[in-house]
Amino acid sequence: MKIDVLSLFPTMFDAIMSESMMWKARDRGLLDFQVHDIREHAEDKHRKVDDSPYGGGGGMILKPDVLVRAIESLKPETDTAVILLSPQGRLLTHDVAVELSRESKLVLICGRYEGVDERVRDLAVTDEISIGDYVLTGGELAALVLIDAVVRLLPGLLGAEGAQQRDSHADGLLEGPHYTRPPEFRGLGVPEALTSGHHAEVDRWRRRQALKRTWQRRPDLLARAGLSAADRAFLDDLEREARG
Ligand code: SAM
């Protein structure tokens, strides 16, 4: 996968993209990542990238000529996903991350200040993505969140077999609790099922814990999760117990 980012603060990407999994993805050739400075596409002598809004009001708007030139310099194909990070975009969810992980190339545009001139959207943007219903000062952190969520799904990156499939949201549920050594810590032990050595029992325990945790914390997710008859029976038991 190739990811090109357009930003006014390109060094913000250095630390995250050169550590841990993001670095591994680049090192293994799974990810070709480049960040480009929008300012390099400003043509006046002050290298101006923003201007005040028509109609007044506070804040500055990223100029359409500079931004569209920057996008066009990356020569996106007609089917390349050119994504503006924006609090007005569709929400980044697991399903959206999966969808984007199937693309061969992403162009990510990081807004700043009051945002970008609307004509950038009209002319050069194919998608807008938000990382949540709040406003950040710029699109860089949002782009990094999107990149991390997408890149960890690339086949061949994560070590543990099937680990992504068990993660929260992958199958519509939250993941259940984890334990590691020591077997006892400050009086708290480890559930017996996990130390039993029986794979089927471990799987059953994990499934039930995932169902229970989702039921407790995000019951809204259960309506869309793929549930078996056994899952439903277990959830019915939880409801009955809760009602006493
Ligand atoms: N005035 C804009 C509005 O109300 O929609 C917000 C501009 S925000 C201060 C500056 C930039 O941060 C945006 O152009 C966008 O790139 C980025 N941004 C802010 N919040 C975001 C979010 N929740 N998700 C993705 N990007 C966000």
Side-chain angles (χ1 to χ4, degrees):
M1 170 179 272
K2 180 158 174 47
I3 300 183
D4 286 294
V5 175
L6 291 168
S7 164
L8 282 172
F9 298 94
T11 58
M12 284 182 73
F13 291 83
D14 291 350
I16 305 289
M17 295 310 295
S18 51
E19 297 281 351
S20 184
M21 283 298 162
M22 297 304 108
W23 174 249
K24 207 178 254 185
R26 297 172 76 183
D27 195 43
R28 288 190 187 168
L30 298 170
L31 172 66
D32 175 0
F33 171 81
Q34 287 185 38
V35 56
H36 311 267
D37 192 343
I38 294 170
R39 203 171 291 280
E40 282 175 10
H41 298 275
E43 289 184 340
D44 70 314
K45 68 174 184 217
H46 300 296
R47 305 183 86 202
K48 198 170 159 60
V49 294
D50 56 351
D51 212 330
S52 48
Y54 278 118
M60 297 297 272
I61 311 296
L62 289 183
K63 285 163 62 58
D65 48 340
V66 178
L67 213 40
V68 169
R69 248 195 319 272
I71 296 167
E72 287 175 352
S73 75
L74 299 172
K75 301 192 176 18
E77 308 284 333
T78 42
D79 60 349
T80 301
V82 179
I83 301 169
L84 174 67
L85 280 310
S86 158
Q88 302 177 18
R90 58 189 179 125
L91 274 182
L92 179 62
T93 59
H94 175 76
D95 289 349
V96 172
V98 170
E99 176 195 317
L100 297 178
S101 73
R102 296 186 179 133
E103 299 281 344
S104 56
K105 177 168 170 154
L106 301 177
V107 173
L108 305 180
I109 306 159
C110 304
R112 276 272 152 182
Y113 317 124
E114 272 310 301
V116 308
D117 185 292
E118 189 65 17
R119 290 163 293 184
V120 176
R121 288 184 167 92
D122 298 339
L123 292 169
V125 167
T126 64
D127 199 357
E128 280 184 58
I129 292 188
S130 166
I131 63 158
D133 290 341
Y134 42 79
V135 173
L136 303 163
T137 52
E140 287 75 11
L141 288 173
L144 282 164
V145 168
L146 183 151
I147 292 168
D148 191 296
V150 168
V151 169
R152 71 191 298 282
L153 297 175
L154 295 180
L157 182 62
L158 294 193
E161 194 66 33
Q164 293 120 301
Q165 277 75 46
R166 286 200 307 270
D167 279 333
S168 294
H169 302 292
D171 64 354
L173 300 177
L174 303 181
E175 195 178 31
H178 295 291
Y179 294 86
T180 185
R181 276 177 277 273
E184 195 179 310
F185 178 67
R186 297 194 179 176
L188 299 178
V190 172
E192 254 179 57
L194 294 179
T195 54
S196 66
H198 298 298
H199 292 303
E201 203 181 321
V202 171
D203 286 347
R204 199 169 77 109
W205 184 87
R206 286 196 171 135
R207 181 73 187 172
R208 288 185 161 195
Q209 291 299 314
L211 287 162
K212 186 173 180 184
R213 191 153 274 201
T214 310
W215 175 76
Q216 286 169 327
R217 299 183 183 193
R218 290 291 305 276
D220 56 301
L221 296 177
L222 291 171
R224 287 186 295 118
L227 300 179
S228 67
D231 292 338
R232 289 186 194 286
F234 178 70
L235 288 168
D236 288 344
D237 286 348
L238 288 179
E239 292 282 356
R240 262 194 297 277
E241 271 172 36
R243 281 198 299 267

